[in-house]
Short mmCIF file of all heavy atoms in Angstrom, two decimals:
data_model
loop_
_atom_site.label_atom_id
_atom_site.label_comp_id
_atom_site.label_asym_id
_atom_site.label_seq_id
_atom_site.Cartn_x
_atom_site.Cartn_y
_atom_site.Cartn_z
N VAL A 51 -1.43 6.60 35.83
CA VAL A 51 -0.41 5.88 36.60
C VAL A 51 0.24 6.88 37.55
O VAL A 51 0.86 7.87 37.10
CB VAL A 51 0.64 5.24 35.68
CG1 VAL A 51 1.74 4.58 36.51
CG2 VAL A 51 -0.01 4.21 34.75
N VAL A 52 0.10 6.65 38.84
CA VAL A 52 0.60 7.58 39.86
C VAL A 52 1.84 6.99 40.52
O VAL A 52 1.83 5.85 40.99
CB VAL A 52 -0.48 7.86 40.92
CG1 VAL A 52 0.07 8.82 41.98
CG2 VAL A 52 -1.74 8.43 40.28
N ARG A 53 2.90 7.79 40.53
CA ARG A 53 4.12 7.40 41.22
C ARG A 53 4.51 8.51 42.18
O ARG A 53 3.89 9.57 42.20
CB ARG A 53 5.24 7.15 40.21
CG ARG A 53 4.99 5.90 39.37
CD ARG A 53 6.09 5.66 38.37
NE ARG A 53 5.95 4.38 37.69
CZ ARG A 53 6.69 3.98 36.69
NH1 ARG A 53 7.66 4.77 36.22
NH2 ARG A 53 6.49 2.80 36.13
N GLU A 54 5.54 8.27 42.97
CA GLU A 54 5.93 9.25 43.98
C GLU A 54 6.26 10.61 43.37
O GLU A 54 5.97 11.65 43.96
CB GLU A 54 7.15 8.74 44.77
CG GLU A 54 6.83 7.56 45.68
CD GLU A 54 8.03 7.17 46.51
OE1 GLU A 54 9.08 7.84 46.39
OE2 GLU A 54 7.94 6.20 47.28
N ASP A 55 6.88 10.58 42.19
CA ASP A 55 7.33 11.84 41.60
C ASP A 55 6.58 12.24 40.33
O ASP A 55 6.96 13.20 39.66
CB ASP A 55 8.83 11.75 41.28
CG ASP A 55 9.13 10.59 40.33
OD1 ASP A 55 8.24 9.74 40.13
OD2 ASP A 55 10.26 10.54 39.81
N SER A 56 5.52 11.51 39.98
CA SER A 56 4.82 11.86 38.75
C SER A 56 3.41 11.26 38.68
O SER A 56 3.10 10.28 39.37
CB SER A 56 5.62 11.37 37.54
OG SER A 56 5.65 9.95 37.51
N MET A 57 2.59 11.88 37.84
CA MET A 57 1.28 11.36 37.50
C MET A 57 1.17 11.40 35.97
O MET A 57 1.26 12.48 35.38
CB MET A 57 0.15 12.19 38.13
CG MET A 57 0.04 12.05 39.64
SD MET A 57 -1.47 12.82 40.29
CE MET A 57 -1.20 14.54 39.82
N THR A 58 1.05 10.24 35.35
CA THR A 58 1.05 10.17 33.89
C THR A 58 -0.27 9.60 33.41
O THR A 58 -0.75 8.58 33.93
CB THR A 58 2.20 9.30 33.38
OG1 THR A 58 3.43 9.77 33.94
CG2 THR A 58 2.29 9.36 31.86
N LEU A 59 -0.84 10.27 32.40
CA LEU A 59 -2.11 9.84 31.84
C LEU A 59 -1.86 9.13 30.52
O LEU A 59 -1.19 9.67 29.64
CB LEU A 59 -3.01 11.06 31.64
CG LEU A 59 -4.53 10.85 31.59
CD1 LEU A 59 -5.02 10.21 32.89
CD2 LEU A 59 -5.22 12.20 31.37
N PHE A 60 -2.40 7.93 30.38
CA PHE A 60 -2.27 7.17 29.15
C PHE A 60 -3.64 7.10 28.47
O PHE A 60 -4.65 6.85 29.13
CB PHE A 60 -1.73 5.76 29.44
CG PHE A 60 -0.33 5.77 29.98
CD1 PHE A 60 -0.09 5.94 31.33
CD2 PHE A 60 0.76 5.65 29.12
CE1 PHE A 60 1.21 5.98 31.83
CE2 PHE A 60 2.06 5.69 29.60
CZ PHE A 60 2.29 5.86 30.95
N GLY A 61 -3.64 7.33 27.16
CA GLY A 61 -4.91 7.39 26.43
C GLY A 61 -5.08 6.25 25.44
O GLY A 61 -4.10 5.78 24.86
N PHE A 62 -6.34 5.85 25.25
CA PHE A 62 -6.66 4.72 24.37
C PHE A 62 -7.91 5.01 23.56
O PHE A 62 -8.86 5.60 24.06
CB PHE A 62 -6.84 3.45 25.20
CG PHE A 62 -5.72 3.20 26.16
CD1 PHE A 62 -5.78 3.69 27.46
CD2 PHE A 62 -4.58 2.54 25.75
CE1 PHE A 62 -4.73 3.49 28.34
CE2 PHE A 62 -3.52 2.34 26.62
CZ PHE A 62 -3.59 2.82 27.92
N ALA A 63 -7.90 4.53 22.32
CA ALA A 63 -9.04 4.75 21.45
C ALA A 63 -10.25 3.96 21.90
O ALA A 63 -11.39 4.38 21.72
CB ALA A 63 -8.68 4.39 20.01
N GLU A 64 -10.01 2.78 22.49
CA GLU A 64 -11.10 1.91 22.92
C GLU A 64 -10.92 1.49 24.38
O GLU A 64 -9.81 1.36 24.86
CB GLU A 64 -11.14 0.64 22.05
CG GLU A 64 -11.28 0.90 20.56
CD GLU A 64 -12.65 1.45 20.20
OE1 GLU A 64 -13.59 1.27 21.00
OE2 GLU A 64 -12.78 2.05 19.11
N ALA A 65 -12.05 1.27 25.05
CA ALA A 65 -12.01 0.84 26.44
C ALA A 65 -11.32 -0.51 26.57
O ALA A 65 -10.63 -0.78 27.56
CB ALA A 65 -13.43 0.78 27.02
N GLY A 66 -11.49 -1.38 25.56
CA GLY A 66 -10.87 -2.69 25.60
C GLY A 66 -9.36 -2.61 25.58
O GLY A 66 -8.66 -3.44 26.18
N GLU A 67 -8.83 -1.61 24.89
CA GLU A 67 -7.39 -1.41 24.83
C GLU A 67 -6.87 -1.00 26.21
O GLU A 67 -5.83 -1.47 26.67
CB GLU A 67 -7.05 -0.34 23.79
CG GLU A 67 -5.57 -0.17 23.52
CD GLU A 67 -5.28 0.87 22.46
OE1 GLU A 67 -6.16 1.71 22.20
OE2 GLU A 67 -4.17 0.86 21.90
N ARG A 68 -7.62 -0.13 26.87
CA ARG A 68 -7.24 0.30 28.22
C ARG A 68 -7.26 -0.89 29.19
O ARG A 68 -6.37 -1.03 30.04
CB ARG A 68 -8.18 1.39 28.72
CG ARG A 68 -7.89 1.84 30.16
CD ARG A 68 -8.89 2.88 30.64
NE ARG A 68 -10.25 2.34 30.67
CZ ARG A 68 -11.33 3.08 30.87
NH1 ARG A 68 -11.22 4.39 31.02
NH2 ARG A 68 -12.53 2.52 30.90
N GLU A 69 -8.25 -1.76 29.05
CA GLU A 69 -8.36 -2.92 29.92
C GLU A 69 -7.14 -3.82 29.80
O GLU A 69 -6.56 -4.26 30.80
CB GLU A 69 -9.62 -3.72 29.59
CG GLU A 69 -9.79 -4.96 30.45
CD GLU A 69 -10.97 -5.81 30.03
OE1 GLU A 69 -11.71 -5.40 29.12
OE2 GLU A 69 -11.14 -6.91 30.60
N VAL A 70 -6.72 -4.08 28.56
CA VAL A 70 -5.54 -4.93 28.34
C VAL A 70 -4.30 -4.25 28.92
O VAL A 70 -3.45 -4.89 29.54
CB VAL A 70 -5.36 -5.22 26.84
CG1 VAL A 70 -4.02 -5.91 26.59
CG2 VAL A 70 -6.50 -6.10 26.34
N PHE A 71 -4.18 -2.94 28.73
CA PHE A 71 -3.05 -2.16 29.26
C PHE A 71 -2.96 -2.34 30.77
O PHE A 71 -1.88 -2.61 31.32
CB PHE A 71 -3.25 -0.69 28.90
CG PHE A 71 -2.28 0.26 29.55
CD1 PHE A 71 -1.01 0.46 29.02
CD2 PHE A 71 -2.64 0.99 30.68
CE1 PHE A 71 -0.11 1.36 29.60
CE2 PHE A 71 -1.75 1.88 31.27
CZ PHE A 71 -0.48 2.07 30.72
N GLU A 72 -4.08 -2.21 31.46
CA GLU A 72 -4.06 -2.28 32.91
C GLU A 72 -3.77 -3.70 33.41
O GLU A 72 -3.14 -3.87 34.45
CB GLU A 72 -5.40 -1.76 33.46
CG GLU A 72 -5.56 -0.26 33.22
CD GLU A 72 -6.89 0.30 33.72
OE1 GLU A 72 -7.83 -0.50 33.93
OE2 GLU A 72 -6.98 1.53 33.90
N VAL A 73 -4.19 -4.71 32.66
CA VAL A 73 -3.87 -6.09 33.04
C VAL A 73 -2.37 -6.33 32.85
O VAL A 73 -1.72 -6.98 33.68
CB VAL A 73 -4.69 -7.10 32.22
CG1 VAL A 73 -4.19 -8.52 32.48
CG2 VAL A 73 -6.16 -7.00 32.56
N LEU A 74 -1.81 -5.79 31.77
CA LEU A 74 -0.37 -5.93 31.53
C LEU A 74 0.44 -5.32 32.67
O LEU A 74 1.51 -5.83 33.02
CB LEU A 74 0.01 -5.26 30.21
CG LEU A 74 -0.39 -6.01 28.93
CD1 LEU A 74 -0.17 -5.11 27.71
CD2 LEU A 74 0.40 -7.30 28.79
N LEU A 75 -0.06 -4.24 33.25
CA LEU A 75 0.66 -3.59 34.36
C LEU A 75 0.74 -4.49 35.59
O LEU A 75 1.57 -4.25 36.48
CB LEU A 75 -0.03 -2.28 34.73
CG LEU A 75 0.05 -1.13 33.71
CD1 LEU A 75 -0.64 0.10 34.26
CD2 LEU A 75 1.50 -0.82 33.35
N SER A 76 -0.13 -5.50 35.67
CA SER A 76 -0.12 -6.40 36.82
C SER A 76 1.01 -7.41 36.74
O SER A 76 1.28 -8.13 37.71
CB SER A 76 -1.46 -7.13 36.94
OG SER A 76 -1.62 -8.07 35.88
N VAL A 77 1.68 -7.48 35.58
CA VAL A 77 2.78 -8.43 35.39
C VAL A 77 4.07 -7.84 35.93
O VAL A 77 4.42 -6.69 35.63
CB VAL A 77 2.96 -8.77 33.89
CG1 VAL A 77 4.16 -9.69 33.70
CG2 VAL A 77 1.69 -9.43 33.35
N ALA A 78 4.79 -8.61 36.72
CA ALA A 78 6.06 -8.14 37.29
C ALA A 78 7.03 -7.78 36.18
O ALA A 78 7.22 -8.55 35.24
CB ALA A 78 6.65 -9.23 38.17
N GLY A 79 7.63 -6.61 36.29
CA GLY A 79 8.61 -6.19 35.30
C GLY A 79 8.04 -5.40 34.14
O GLY A 79 8.78 -4.86 33.33
N ILE A 80 6.71 -5.30 34.06
CA ILE A 80 6.10 -4.51 32.98
C ILE A 80 5.58 -3.19 33.55
O ILE A 80 4.65 -3.17 34.37
CB ILE A 80 4.94 -5.26 32.29
CG1 ILE A 80 5.47 -6.42 31.48
CG2 ILE A 80 4.17 -4.32 31.37
CD1 ILE A 80 4.46 -7.07 30.58
N GLY A 81 6.19 -2.11 33.13
CA GLY A 81 5.74 -0.79 33.52
C GLY A 81 4.84 -0.23 32.42
O GLY A 81 4.61 -0.88 31.40
N PRO A 82 4.34 0.97 32.61
CA PRO A 82 3.43 1.55 31.62
C PRO A 82 4.04 1.72 30.23
O PRO A 82 3.35 1.54 29.23
CB PRO A 82 3.03 2.89 32.24
CG PRO A 82 4.07 3.17 33.28
CD PRO A 82 4.49 1.85 33.78
N ARG A 83 5.31 2.07 30.15
CA ARG A 83 5.94 2.26 28.84
C ARG A 83 6.01 0.95 28.06
O ARG A 83 5.73 0.91 26.86
CB ARG A 83 7.36 2.82 29.00
CG ARG A 83 7.44 4.11 29.79
CD ARG A 83 6.78 5.27 29.08
NE ARG A 83 6.88 6.50 29.85
CZ ARG A 83 6.29 7.65 29.53
NH1 ARG A 83 5.57 7.70 28.42
NH2 ARG A 83 6.41 8.70 30.29
N LEU A 84 6.37 -0.12 28.76
CA LEU A 84 6.47 -1.41 28.10
C LEU A 84 5.09 -1.95 27.74
O LEU A 84 4.90 -2.56 26.68
CB LEU A 84 7.21 -2.41 28.99
CG LEU A 84 7.74 -3.69 28.32
CD1 LEU A 84 8.58 -3.33 27.09
CD2 LEU A 84 8.55 -4.50 29.30
N ALA A 85 4.11 -1.71 28.61
CA ALA A 85 2.74 -2.13 28.32
C ALA A 85 2.23 -1.42 27.07
O ALA A 85 1.54 -2.00 26.23
CB ALA A 85 1.84 -1.83 29.51
N LEU A 86 2.58 -0.14 26.95
CA LEU A 86 2.17 0.63 25.78
C LEU A 86 2.88 0.11 24.53
O LEU A 86 2.29 0.07 23.45
CB LEU A 86 2.51 2.11 26.00
CG LEU A 86 1.64 3.14 25.26
CD1 LEU A 86 0.19 3.04 25.74
CD2 LEU A 86 2.16 4.55 25.47
N ALA A 87 4.14 -0.32 24.70
CA ALA A 87 4.89 -0.87 23.57
C ALA A 87 4.24 -2.16 23.06
O ALA A 87 4.20 -2.42 21.86
CB ALA A 87 6.33 -1.14 23.97
N VAL A 88 3.72 -2.97 23.98
CA VAL A 88 3.04 -4.20 23.59
C VAL A 88 1.83 -3.87 22.72
O VAL A 88 1.59 -4.50 21.68
CB VAL A 88 2.57 -4.99 24.83
CG1 VAL A 88 1.68 -6.17 24.42
CG2 VAL A 88 3.77 -5.51 25.62
N LEU A 89 1.08 -2.84 23.11
CA LEU A 89 -0.11 -2.45 22.37
C LEU A 89 0.22 -1.67 21.10
O LEU A 89 -0.65 -1.49 20.24
CB LEU A 89 -1.04 -1.62 23.26
CG LEU A 89 -1.73 -2.44 24.36
CD1 LEU A 89 -2.38 -1.54 25.39
CD2 LEU A 89 -2.78 -3.37 23.74
N ALA A 90 1.45 -1.22 20.98
CA ALA A 90 1.88 -0.59 19.73
C ALA A 90 2.18 -1.64 18.67
O ALA A 90 2.03 -1.40 17.48
CB ALA A 90 3.11 0.28 19.98
N VAL A 91 2.59 -2.83 19.14
CA VAL A 91 2.93 -3.92 18.23
C VAL A 91 1.73 -4.82 17.96
O VAL A 91 1.52 -5.28 16.83
CB VAL A 91 4.09 -4.76 18.80
CG1 VAL A 91 4.35 -5.99 17.94
CG2 VAL A 91 5.35 -3.91 18.91
N HIS A 92 0.92 -5.07 18.99
CA HIS A 92 -0.21 -5.99 18.86
C HIS A 92 -1.54 -5.29 19.16
O HIS A 92 -1.59 -4.39 19.99
CB HIS A 92 -0.07 -7.16 19.84
CG HIS A 92 1.15 -8.00 19.61
ND1 HIS A 92 1.34 -8.76 18.48
CD2 HIS A 92 2.24 -8.20 20.39
CE1 HIS A 92 2.49 -9.40 18.56
NE2 HIS A 92 3.07 -9.08 19.71
N THR A 93 -2.61 -5.75 18.53
CA THR A 93 -3.94 -5.27 18.88
C THR A 93 -4.32 -5.86 20.23
O THR A 93 -3.75 -6.89 20.65
CB THR A 93 -4.99 -5.71 17.85
OG1 THR A 93 -5.14 -7.15 17.91
CG2 THR A 93 -4.60 -5.29 16.44
N PRO A 94 -5.29 -5.27 20.94
CA PRO A 94 -5.72 -5.85 22.22
C PRO A 94 -6.16 -7.30 22.08
O PRO A 94 -5.86 -8.14 22.93
CB PRO A 94 -6.89 -4.94 22.63
CG PRO A 94 -6.55 -3.62 22.01
CD PRO A 94 -5.95 -3.98 20.68
N GLU A 95 -6.85 -7.62 20.98
CA GLU A 95 -7.30 -9.00 20.78
C GLU A 95 -6.12 -9.94 20.54
O GLU A 95 -6.12 -11.08 21.02
CB GLU A 95 -8.27 -9.07 19.60
CG GLU A 95 -8.91 -10.44 19.40
CD GLU A 95 -9.86 -10.87 20.52
OE1 GLU A 95 -10.13 -10.05 21.44
OE2 GLU A 95 -10.33 -12.02 20.50
N ASP A 96 -5.09 -9.46 19.84
CA ASP A 96 -3.89 -10.26 19.63
C ASP A 96 -3.23 -10.59 20.97
O ASP A 96 -2.73 -11.70 21.18
CB ASP A 96 -2.89 -9.52 18.75
CG ASP A 96 -3.28 -9.52 17.28
OD1 ASP A 96 -4.05 -10.41 16.88
OD2 ASP A 96 -2.83 -8.63 16.54
N VAL A 97 -3.21 -9.63 21.88
CA VAL A 97 -2.62 -9.84 23.20
C VAL A 97 -3.44 -10.88 23.96
O VAL A 97 -2.88 -11.77 24.63
CB VAL A 97 -2.56 -8.53 24.00
CG1 VAL A 97 -2.02 -8.79 25.42
CG2 VAL A 97 -1.67 -7.51 23.29
N ARG A 98 -4.76 -10.78 23.87
CA ARG A 98 -5.63 -11.74 24.55
C ARG A 98 -5.40 -13.16 24.03
O ARG A 98 -5.31 -14.12 24.81
CB ARG A 98 -7.10 -11.36 24.35
CG ARG A 98 -7.53 -10.10 25.10
CD ARG A 98 -8.98 -9.74 24.81
NE ARG A 98 -9.42 -8.60 25.58
CZ ARG A 98 -9.86 -8.65 26.83
NH1 ARG A 98 -9.94 -9.84 27.43
NH2 ARG A 98 -10.24 -7.57 27.47
N VAL A 99 -5.29 -13.28 22.71
CA VAL A 99 -5.08 -14.59 22.10
C VAL A 99 -3.71 -15.15 22.52
O VAL A 99 -3.59 -16.33 22.88
CB VAL A 99 -5.17 -14.50 20.56
CG1 VAL A 99 -4.72 -15.79 19.92
CG2 VAL A 99 -6.59 -14.16 20.13
N ALA A 100 -2.69 -14.31 22.46
CA ALA A 100 -1.35 -14.75 22.84
C ALA A 100 -1.30 -15.20 24.29
O ALA A 100 -0.66 -16.20 24.64
CB ALA A 100 -0.34 -13.63 22.60
N ALA A 101 -1.98 -14.46 25.16
CA ALA A 101 -2.00 -14.80 26.58
C ALA A 101 -2.73 -16.12 26.81
O ALA A 101 -2.27 -16.97 27.59
CB ALA A 101 -2.67 -13.69 27.38
N SER A 102 -3.86 -16.32 26.14
CA SER A 102 -4.65 -17.54 26.35
C SER A 102 -3.98 -18.77 25.76
O SER A 102 -4.16 -19.88 26.25
CB SER A 102 -6.05 -17.37 25.75
OG SER A 102 -5.99 -17.24 24.34
N GLU A 103 -3.20 -18.58 24.69
CA GLU A 103 -2.54 -19.70 24.03
C GLU A 103 -1.11 -19.91 24.52
O GLU A 103 -0.42 -20.83 24.06
CB GLU A 103 -2.54 -19.49 22.51
CG GLU A 103 -3.94 -19.48 21.90
CD GLU A 103 -3.92 -19.30 20.40
OE1 GLU A 103 -2.81 -19.04 19.84
OE2 GLU A 103 -4.99 -19.39 19.77
N GLY A 104 -0.65 -19.04 25.42
CA GLY A 104 0.72 -19.17 25.93
C GLY A 104 1.76 -18.90 24.87
O GLY A 104 2.83 -19.52 24.86
N ASP A 105 1.45 -17.98 23.96
CA ASP A 105 2.33 -17.68 22.83
C ASP A 105 3.41 -16.67 23.24
O ASP A 105 3.25 -15.46 23.06
CB ASP A 105 1.50 -17.13 21.67
CG ASP A 105 2.33 -16.89 20.41
OD1 ASP A 105 3.54 -17.19 20.43
OD2 ASP A 105 1.77 -16.38 19.42
N ALA A 106 4.51 -17.18 23.79
CA ALA A 106 5.58 -16.30 24.25
C ALA A 106 6.25 -15.56 23.10
O ALA A 106 6.71 -14.43 23.26
CB ALA A 106 6.61 -17.11 25.03
N LYS A 107 6.30 -16.19 21.93
CA LYS A 107 6.95 -15.55 20.79
C LYS A 107 6.29 -14.24 20.41
O LYS A 107 6.95 -13.31 19.95
CB LYS A 107 6.96 -16.51 19.59
CG LYS A 107 7.91 -17.68 19.73
CD LYS A 107 7.94 -18.51 18.46
CE LYS A 107 8.94 -19.66 18.58
NZ LYS A 107 8.99 -20.49 17.35
N ALA A 108 4.98 -14.17 20.58
CA ALA A 108 4.26 -12.93 20.25
C ALA A 108 4.76 -11.77 21.11
O ALA A 108 4.94 -10.66 20.61
CB ALA A 108 2.76 -13.13 20.46
N PHE A 109 5.03 -12.04 22.38
CA PHE A 109 5.51 -10.98 23.27
C PHE A 109 6.99 -10.67 23.04
O PHE A 109 7.42 -9.54 23.26
CB PHE A 109 5.25 -11.36 24.73
CG PHE A 109 3.80 -11.38 25.10
CD1 PHE A 109 3.12 -12.58 25.20
CD2 PHE A 109 3.10 -10.20 25.31
CE1 PHE A 109 1.77 -12.61 25.52
CE2 PHE A 109 1.76 -10.21 25.63
CZ PHE A 109 1.08 -11.42 25.73
N SER A 110 7.74 -11.67 22.59
CA SER A 110 9.17 -11.43 22.35
C SER A 110 9.39 -10.54 21.13
O SER A 110 10.51 -10.06 20.91
CB SER A 110 9.92 -12.76 22.19
OG SER A 110 9.50 -13.44 21.03
N ARG A 111 8.35 -10.33 20.32
CA ARG A 111 8.48 -9.43 19.17
C ARG A 111 8.46 -7.96 19.60
O ARG A 111 8.76 -7.07 18.80
CB ARG A 111 7.33 -9.67 18.17
CG ARG A 111 7.33 -11.06 17.56
CD ARG A 111 6.35 -11.14 16.40
NE ARG A 111 6.11 -12.51 16.00
CZ ARG A 111 5.00 -13.20 16.28
NH1 ARG A 111 4.02 -12.60 16.94
NH2 ARG A 111 4.87 -14.44 15.88
#
Side-chain angles (χ1 to χ4, degrees):
V51 176
V52 179
R53 291 180 172 173
E54 290 185 2
D55 58 347
S56 67
M57 289 190 298
T58 307
L59 203 59
F60 295 85
F62 310 91
E64 303 291 340
E67 187 179 19
R68 177 183 63 190
E69 179 185 355
V70 171
F71 172 82
E72 292 179 341
V73 172
L74 286 170
L75 291 182
S76 69
V77 176
I80 290 190
R83 304 293 180 186
L84 196 53
L86 208 63
V88 172
L89 288 167
V91 174
H92 299 294
T93 67
E95 186 66 6
D96 284 338
V97 177
R98 289 178 177 276
V99 170
S102 65
E103 296 181 353
D105 185 2
K107 288 185 178 180
F109 291 102
S110 66
R111 297 191 193 105

